[in-house]
Amino acid sequence: MQSYTIGQAARLLGVSPDTARRWADAGRMATHRDEIGRRVIDGKDLAAFSVELAGGTGEEDAPSYTSARNAFPGIVTAVKLGDVAAQVEIQAGPHRLVSLLTREAVEELGLEVGVEATARVKSTNVHIDRT
């Protein structure tokens, strides 16, 4: 399971590291210490928190996120695999992006809930790069 530091989580959520620390201190975001003593959040927990946050928390410090060149860095929140096709959801700040791609592509990229990825949007297509 991939884990993220407070700084990495903040970047994925579109907030400052101080805001992410305050959320962790208040118990809104579950963290633990890694083997070298850094405070980290598990990828699946971060994915769930990002979905909750994007759903409208009513907080004034909720992230505002814009895309640069149509790239949306975020975290994978759902993967649905079929025999040939797959559906991947990414939460990028307040934006939920869904991509339909081949199962083979999902497996080659190692996409699973909690993994950091970037959705690239061109016209009506969403391409995903694992970061």
Side-chain angles (χ1 to χ4, degrees), residues 17 27 35:
E35 60 279 347

Side-chain angles (χ1 to χ4, degrees), residues 44-127:
K44 287 186 180 184
D45 292 337
L46 182 58
F49 182 73
S50 71
V51 170
E52 174 190 323
L53 188 64
T57 61
E59 301 248 345
E60 293 179 15
D61 57 357
S64 62
Y65 191 84
T66 61
S67 83
R69 295 189 183 177
N70 300 325
F72 294 82
I75 188 164
V76 175
T77 57
V79 176
K80 297 174 187 164
L81 297 174
D83 291 336
V84 176
Q87 177 179 314
V88 176
E89 295 181 21
I90 291 180
Q91 194 69 45
H95 308 291
R96 177 181 163 264
L97 297 120
V98 179
S99 179
L100 301 175
L101 56 164
T102 65
R103 178 186 182 116
E104 181 180 10
V106 170
E107 291 170 349
E108 284 180 8
L109 290 169
L111 297 174
E112 61 185 28
V113 173
V115 169
E116 184 178 357
T118 300
R120 298 194 186 278
V121 180
K122 180 178 180 189
S123 185
T124 59
N125 297 316
V126 176
H127 303 268

